[in-house]
Each structure stands twice: as structure tokens, then as C-alpha cells.
Amino acid sequence: MAAVFAATLLLCRFAAPLLRCGPPVAGIRHLSKEEVTVSAKPSIQPSRGNYVRDAKTGMVGIVMDFSLGQYWLRPVGGGREWVARPSDLREITQAELLSERVAAANRQQQACGRA
């Protein structure tokens, strides 16, 4: 707890001068609130067979089909398909894919009573 307080105090001490609003600096264009937009990563357009993460559910799945503006995904290791919007899909790394495959193999072994 004390370490968090010390880190916050240190951050406030050195970051405060940077956060203060002052007169516009000559030669620098300042953006209005309307021009500043915060957005997530642009949505991806995976094809059949690609592995993606559904940000809404947190699940990783393989793209089975794209129909009517939605993707049909199946969990790694098999299971019931679900529908995801393109804006909810995120690319995954090889490490994430390997982790999902290991988890699926472990679930399958437990279901068969081998674990």
C-alpha cells in the first residue's frame, strides 16, 4: 500500500507540470475535442480457418463462416458455434493459440476420465 502511495505521489509531482493547460504554443496545432477520437484497434477481416478472439466473450475461436455481416466461430477443440460481430474480433498471437490448444486438450482428457 505504501509503495502505491509513493508511486502515485512521485507521478503527480513530475507529471503535473506536463498536464497543466496554458496558452497555445506558437507553431503547434491544438486539436479540438471534436477532432480527438478514442478508438480500439480497427476491426479485422479474417477468412475461414483463421483463429480470432471475440472481445465480447473473451473466447478464442476458429472462423467457420461469414454471413449477413456476422462471423460464425467455433471454439478451439470443438464445441458449439457462436456468432460475433466484426468489430468484436481481435487477432491473437501464436502463444495465445498454443495456450488455447493446450487448454482444449486438457478439457478433453478430463472429459474422458484420463486425468
Side-chain angles (χ1 to χ4, degrees):
M1 185 71 155
V4 173
F5 177 73
T8 305
L9 184 63
L10 186 65
L11 179 64
C12 290
R13 182 175 184 179
F14 290 104
L18 300 174
L19 299 175
R20 289 192 185 117
C21 295
V25 178
I28 296 179
R29 181 176 174 265
H30 294 275
L31 300 176
S32 67
K33 288 182 181 179
E34 292 78 25
E35 292 176 299
V36 177
T37 58
V38 178
S39 63
K41 284 175 107 178
S43 61
I44 58 174
Q45 296 178 348
S47 56
R48 286 184 186 162
N50 288 13
Y51 289 93
V52 293
R53 179 173 302 277
D54 182 358
K56 187 174 182 181
T57 63
M59 295 174 51
V60 173
I62 185 170
V63 176
M64 302 305 292
D65 197 10
F66 178 75
S67 174
L68 302 173
Q70 297 179 331
Y71 284 93
W72 288 86
L73 306 174
R74 178 166 292 175
V76 177
R80 188 173 184 178
E81 291 182 354
W82 78 94
V83 178
R85 296 181 307 193
S87 61
D88 291 336
L89 300 182
R90 303 289 178 260
E91 294 179 8
I92 63 169
T93 64
Q94 291 295 324
E96 288 176 308
L97 178 57
L98 178 61
S99 177
E100 287 294 325
R101 286 182 172 169
V102 168
N106 289 339
R107 284 191 302 268
Q108 186 176 13
Q109 280 187 341
Q110 288 175 352
C112 292
R114 295 184 201 157

